[in-house]
Amino acid sequence: DGGITQSPKYLFRKEGQNVTLSCEQNLNHDAMYWYRQDPGQGLRLIYYSQIVNDFQKGDIAEGYSVSREKKESFPLTVTSAQKNPTAFYLCASSDRGGSPLHFGNGTRLTVT
Amino acid sequence: GENVEQHPSTLSVQEGDSAVIKCTYSDSASNYFPWYKQELGKGPQLIIDIRSNVGEKKDQRIAVTLNKTAKHFSLHITETQPEDSAVYFCAASMGSGYSTLTFGKGTMLLVSP
């Protein structure tokens, strides 16, 4: 079955540590996205990538970094510079910009 | 940039009733309006979408209406069932090229048996 795999489902880190969230897709989609979800805040765009080796900042990119070395993979690193990293992180992909998004089942990150 | 407002934030209905969720958007250039359903602990799933060249679209018990002049669109669910209970998100984008979706803050729909 084609889809998006995010791992792990739950992640715990100490404050001051960087942490990388994995996102892999086998849908052969060109575009991939990272969203952050907080209670009552909806989904906010962190970074997105339309093609390999290229990515753009979204609305809340500060404290995050990404890479897109392969079409299938779009890992997100939450750095120690992110002031409130505890959240539910969703990865998505689409055939191209503007087409429907397919989401993974998310990673819940808790930083203490 | 685009701003999407969604109401209500919570909606409780009895099984069999209809439910309506409304969204407004700010950018008149937006022309693609999807709706997503998110169940607890899962990622959102697309349930229906509409583009600005149509005013209404139906898929079984779900329908979406769009009023481009007023810049608002709505999700209608008829004959609600307990399994419709979830968080619903509306979104808007220019629907092409490098455009990205802007989401509303979500509506928690509770359907009581």
Side-chain angles (χ1 to χ4, degrees), chain A residues 9 37 50 97 100-101 103-105, chain B residues 32 36 38 41 43-44 89 97-98:
Chain A
K9 190 172 180 64
Q37 185 174 20
Q50 302 283 3
L101 295 182
F103 284 90
N105 280 328
Chain B
Y32 175 62
Y36 287 83
Q38 185 178 27
F89 292 97
Y98 279 71

Side-chain angles (χ1 to χ4, degrees), chain B residues 51-106:
Chain B
R51 296 189 185 268
S52 61
N53 56 344
V54 297
E56 184 175 2
K57 184 176 179 181
K58 287 184 179 180
D59 183 3
Q60 300 183 348
R61 296 185 296 110
I62 294 173
V64 57
T65 58
L66 171 65
N67 183 328
K68 283 226 74 179
T69 303
K71 290 192 282 188
H72 67 72
F73 56 112
S74 300
L75 178 71
H76 304 254
I77 305 175
T78 59
E79 300 173 19
T80 54
Q81 301 167 3
E83 51 265 38
D84 294 329
S85 296
V87 178
Y88 292 80
F89 292 97
C90 63
S93 81
M94 290 177 60
S96 63
Y98 279 71
S99 63
T100 58
L101 284 172
T102 300
F103 285 84
K105 292 187 176 181

Side-chain angles (χ1 to χ4, degrees), chain A residues 10-53:
Chain A
Y10 300 96
L11 194 52
F12 298 89
R13 281 293 183 271
K14 294 291 188 184
E15 197 173 310
Q17 294 179 334
N18 292 352
V19 59
T20 297
L21 282 59
S22 170
C23 178
E24 303 279 331
Q25 56 102 356
N26 60 4
L27 298 167
N28 199 33
H29 284 169
D30 288 323
M32 296 187 75
Y33 309 79
W34 276 104
Y35 285 89
R36 171 179 171 143
Q37 185 174 20
D38 297 284
Q41 292 295 316
L43 283 72
R44 293 182 291 169
L45 184 63
I46 305 173
Y47 267 99
Y48 63 105
S49 167
Q50 302 283 3
I51 55 173
V52 174
N53 293 323

